[in-house]
Amino acid sequence: ALQKHNLMSSLPLNSSDIHLIVVDCQHDFCHPEGALYVPQGECAVENIASLLKSGKVARVTFTLDWHPLDHCSFQPQGGQWPVHCVQYSRGVALAESLMDPNLLPSLHPTFVTKGANRDQEEYGAFAQPSTEELALLQSGKVVVCGIAGDYCVLETLRNVLKVRPDAQVFMEGIASIDGGIALNEFMTKHQIERFQ
Ligand code: VGL
Ligand code: ZN
């Protein structure tokens, strides 16, 4: 769900302005001490931070894994994953190097949460995009990156491609649990362009 406090979400961008979608770059996935640390997560985050600072990006959307304490995907509930990204815990925080009060305000950040429904696994953002989310996805040249490449990035990319078949992927800004196999296969199969 799109966090509606963001009043800049209708800021129009030209199709040449980059709109970077950063998937789940949160403490639990990016920090070696996080609950569901994905190897190389810090490298992906550093590369994303550099791109955001490069001046090439006009707008950023952050997706956040955002689970209630008893989410069905958690092992104590019989799910596959350790308890992670619990709402209002440290684990949901954006990775340290992306939190830059001198930079983010000029990129009109929007936050999109997912996984809040206790009874449903939801890897991808924009599964059933609202009118506002559709407008957001129409904005700029859409480039996707984040963590994990084989789960939430892949699923978010599938959803984004339904609205924006021209979306690209920033490979250096991705870390995958499987080392990149699933995402690479998907990109080859669907001839998705890499952002250079
Ligand atoms: C994710 C596993 C569980 C992800 C989220 O962000 O890729 N993976 N929840
Ligand atoms: Zn999750």
Side-chain angles (χ1 to χ4, degrees):
L2 187 120
Q3 301 306 102
K4 298 211 168 102
H5 58 79
N6 191 315
L7 300 174
M8 300 306 293
S9 58
S10 57
L11 174 85
L13 290 185
N14 296 322
S15 54
S16 57
D17 296 327
I18 293 171
H19 172 186
L20 192 65
I21 299 182
V22 178
V23 176
D24 297 8
C25 283
Q26 294 163 272
H27 177 86
D28 272 346
F29 297 120
C30 302
H31 195 283
E33 282 166 14
L36 190 33
Y37 171 64
V38 176
Q40 318 279 316
E42 328 83 299
C43 312
V45 165
E46 290 314 316
N47 292 332
I48 293 167
S50 303
L51 178 58
L52 291 178
K53 282 176 199 147
S54 70
K56 293 181 198 161
V57 177
R59 145 168 289 174
V60 63
T61 295
F62 294 105
T63 75
L64 298 173
D65 211 29
W66 184 254
H67 298 310
L69 253 177
D70 56 351
H71 192 256
C72 64
S73 76
F74 295 169
Q75 282 155 0
Q77 274 61 242
Q80 177 184 6
W81 306 110
V83 174
H84 66 279
C85 293
V86 171
Q87 295 169 7
Y88 310 110
S89 73
R90 168 186 295 263
V92 295
L94 209 54
E96 199 91 43
S97 30
L98 298 177
M99 300 239 273
D100 185 343
N102 290 308
L103 177 68
L104 288 190
S106 64
L107 300 179
H108 312 291
T110 299
F111 293 89
V112 177
T113 58
K114 63 184 179 60
N117 182 344
R118 190 194 59 166
D119 302 317
Q120 198 188 315
E121 179 61 284
E122 185 180 23
Y123 289 132
F126 309 114
Q128 272 119 28
S130 64
T131 309
E132 281 166 300
E133 287 173 338
L134 283 172
L136 185 67
L137 290 176
Q138 296 301 343
S139 179
K141 169 186 160 117
V142 170
V143 178
V144 179
C145 61
I147 296 173
D150 40 349
Y151 287 92
C152 291
V153 175
L154 184 52
E155 207 50 41
T156 299
L157 180 62
R158 285 182 200 278
N159 295 340
V160 168
L161 286 167
K162 289 176 192 158
V163 184
R164 290 296 299 266
D166 60 334
Q168 297 184 349
V169 175
F170 176 46
M171 298 306 288
E172 295 77 7
I174 294 178
S176 297
I177 297 171
D178 72 355
I181 297 168
L183 182 63
N184 281 327
E185 250 174 46
F186 178 85
M187 292 191 46
T188 305
K189 184 169 172 200
H190 298 275
Q191 298 183 295
I192 311 302
E193 264 185 68
R194 291 165 192 236
F195 171 73
Q196 314 282 359

